[in-house]
Amino acid sequence: MLEGKAIYLRKRPLFLVGLALAGVASASTWFYMDRILRAQQIADAAAHSRPRGNLSDLYPRWLGARELLRRGRNPYSAEITREIQRGYYGRPLDPARADDPKDRQGFVYPAYVVFLLAPTVDLPFDVVQKGFRWLLVGLAVATVFLWLHVLRWRASLGMAVIFIVLMLGWLPMVQGIKLQQLSLLVAGLLAVCGACLAGGWLFLAGGLLALATIKPQLTWPLVLWLLFWASSDWRARRRFVFGFGLGMLLLLGGAQLMLPGWLRMFAEAIGQYHRYTQNQSVLVWLFGSIAGRILEAGSMLVCAICVWRVRGELATSAAFGRAFGLVLALTVVVVPMFAPYNQVLLAPAILALLRSESEGDPILPAIRLARAVGGILLVWPWIATVGLSLAYFWLTPELRQRVWPIPFYSNFMVPVFVFGLALLDTWRSEPRSLPDSAAAE
């Protein structure tokens, strides 16, 4: 007992220093978002006569759900889109104004998202907005423990607290909370799904994965991987498939009863969304259309080969957790969206890499160098926001116009490095688990 107390006393100063640094870094992100980035956006909108309303990404979904559930109106209609614009932007967009935003903020979600929003449609939106923001904060805290459980990492409480502080001040997380982005809700559902799998609650995990498909572009790679994983040992894992199948049947069928033909409307809305936003993947943005598409295909192929090797892993194994994180990292680099808030899906892969680094396993010098570069890219936004926060009182409007993008300089490279490093980390870990049915015998 005396030896344990001595270890605790030796580690306590390190914990306090780490917590203080994490607190400063996270606070600087919020300060930057509130005092620097927001001020620049307001000034830019005023200079170009761009409208600014509530700017909540939750609002289009909430208004569409309210109108469908309370009045039976089609949330995909042009009339609802104009009403959404009045709240989101403050007025309907005018195609004749060249500086008006290109994103029409239509109801570009599966119709069954209304089931999640149904409890809120009778409340004023400002109340819903505040409540949803605190829900996202709570999910950010909870997902740290959930991902640690999925990865089977028994981190100390002090380390978990530091991770929580950093998570709450991570630029993608802060942006998502400020915008009330449903990507953070999807990330939370996926974390709970992974934790249920690790805990043996396969049927519930399948149902949660079905709910997460409210953003299908962020879930289809994981859906494919987990269905393949379940089919590799059908007898032991079929409950997951049944849970997912039943969940999707209820969601799709319920949406069809409420709004017949919604799937066609949703497909048309998705097509229009990509046309007017011209969204593209991180790889296409970095390497161009042709090279980017080739790299997307190559990334999916190599990832498929890698997860094929761990298809027999138990959901209670660390290797399964690493594969889970790898597929989410693949999602961030290949889906045709590059908004920073989607990078919250990188959290399990980043934690897996931190665990691997903390264990001190021998690795090639090239991989160690790549990890160092990836680490610098990951912490760059905190370095930048701390610097800009310290220089805040010297930032004139003209200078702010030039320096505000600095924290986003690593935005496109972080997903590429995390995916590549997670791929190597998963590949070099030899599968050890037997199929679930064999283990049971």
Side-chain angles (χ1 to χ4, degrees):
M1 184 168 60
L2 292 177
E3 182 180 354
K5 186 176 181 180
I7 293 174
Y8 167 76
L9 291 174
R10 285 199 302 270
K11 288 186 176 181
R12 186 178 179 186
L14 293 176
F15 163 69
L16 294 176
V17 170
L19 183 61
L21 291 174
V24 169
S26 294
S28 73
T29 305
W30 284 95
F31 185 88
Y32 162 80
M33 294 290 287
D34 284 331
R35 298 297 184 88
I36 298 175
L37 182 60
R38 183 171 177 271
Q40 189 278 331
Q41 291 173 338
I42 292 174
D44 184 71
H48 296 88
S49 299
R50 290 197 187 98
R52 286 178 64 86
N54 59 49
L55 299 180
S56 167
D57 286 344
L58 176 65
Y59 183 75
R61 272 47 78 182
W62 175 83
L63 184 65
R66 187 190 71 178
E67 294 305 303
L68 175 61
L69 293 175
R70 294 178 62 181
R71 298 181 178 88
R73 300 174 68 192
N74 180 3
Y76 300 102
S77 67
E79 292 78 13
I80 294 294
T81 298
R82 282 193 294 272
E83 292 182 23
I84 288 171
Q85 292 171 1
R86 288 191 186 96
Y88 187 90
Y89 289 118
R91 64 166 171 81
L93 297 181
D94 185 355
R97 298 190 182 198
D99 287 332
D100 266 13
K102 303 302 179 187
D103 191 344
R104 300 175 190 170
Q105 288 299 326
F107 189 85
V108 194
Y109 272 66
Y112 52 78
V113 72
V114 304
F115 298 136
L116 287 178
L117 297 173
T120 70
V121 297
D122 291 323
L123 299 172
F125 182 67
D126 59 340
V127 174
V128 176
Q129 193 175 18
K130 291 175 184 177
F132 189 66
R133 189 177 288 128
W134 282 110
L135 172 64
L136 295 182
V137 170
L139 281 175
V141 174
T143 52
V144 171
F145 294 106
L146 293 170
W147 288 131
L148 290 175
H149 179 63
V150 172
L151 295 167
R152 318 308 290 180
W153 186 4
R154 296 182 179 178
S156 66
L157 180 59
M159 185 176 293
V161 169
I162 291 174
F163 286 158
I164 288 170
V165 174
L166 290 174
M167 179 71 82
L168 290 172
W170 189 20
L171 189 59
M173 181 64 70
V174 174
Q175 185 195 45
I177 292 173
K178 296 284 286 183
L179 295 175
Q180 296 107 57
Q181 239 298 324
L182 266 69
S183 290
L184 273 61
L185 178 61
V186 170
L189 288 171
L190 294 179
V192 180
C193 169
C196 286
L197 285 171
W201 299 81
L202 301 188
F203 187 84
L204 179 58
L208 289 167
L209 183 61
L211 277 179
T213 62
I214 58 170
K215 293 201 82 163
Q217 69 274 28
L218 296 184
T219 52
W220 68 262
L222 188 65
V223 168
L224 292 178
W225 151 239
L226 288 178
L227 290 178
F228 171 73
W229 170 80
S231 66
S232 67
D233 189 12
W234 177 253
R235 187 174 68 174
R237 302 170 182 172
R238 62 183 182 273
R239 287 175 296 147
F240 170 78
V241 180
F242 294 156
F244 178 74
L246 179 60
M248 290 305 305
L249 181 64
L250 292 174
L251 292 172
L252 294 171
Q256 182 64 21
L257 288 174
M258 283 198 310
L259 185 64
W262 72 268
L263 196 55
R264 173 185 53 80
M265 304 173 200
F266 171 59
E268 292 174 355
I270 285 286
Q272 293 173 4
Y273 174 77
H274 286 300
R275 281 195 295 274
Y276 59 69
T277 61
Q278 297 183 336
N279 262 338
Q280 51 194 5
S281 72
V282 169
L283 292 175
V284 170
W285 195 95
L286 283 172
F287 301 104
S289 181
I290 297 176
R293 300 295 182 196
I294 294 173
L295 288 171
E296 285 176 6
S299 298
M300 288 187 282
L301 177 61
V302 176
C303 183
I305 295 172
C306 191
V307 297
W308 166 269
R309 298 172 68 247
V310 297
R311 67 192 183 280
E313 290 286 340
L314 303 177
T316 55
S317 69
F320 175 83
R322 284 193 295 270
F324 202 104
L326 173 63
V327 175
L328 290 182
L330 171 72
T331 302
V332 178
V333 298
V334 301
V335 296
M337 302 176 70
F338 53 78
Y341 50 72
N342 287 327
Q343 294 183 23
V344 295
L345 295 178
L346 297 175
I350 292 171
L351 288 173
L353 289 168
L354 288 173
R355 179 188 184 183
S356 179
E357 188 66 25
S358 69
E359 291 174 346
D361 294 336
I363 56 176
L364 295 174
I367 297 179
R368 188 165 298 282
L369 176 61
R371 285 186 178 182
V373 173
I376 293 171
L377 292 171
L378 183 63
V379 302
W380 170 253
W382 283 309
I383 296 172
T385 55
V386 168
L388 290 175
S389 298
L390 292 174
Y392 172 71
F393 293 104
W394 291 273
L395 293 179
T396 63
E398 295 77 15
L399 188 57
R400 187 184 296 124
Q401 178 67 26
R402 295 199 298 270
V403 302
W404 73 263
I406 292 177
F408 294 93
Y409 281 176
S410 64
N411 178 59
F412 292 96
M413 291 305 300
V414 167
V416 175
F417 267 82
V418 170
F419 170 69
L421 292 170
L423 188 68
L424 292 172
D425 193 51
T426 306
W427 187 274
R428 71 187 185 89
S429 302
E430 288 296 328
R432 290 182 295 274
S433 298
L434 294 172
D436 294 357
S437 56
E441 292 171 1

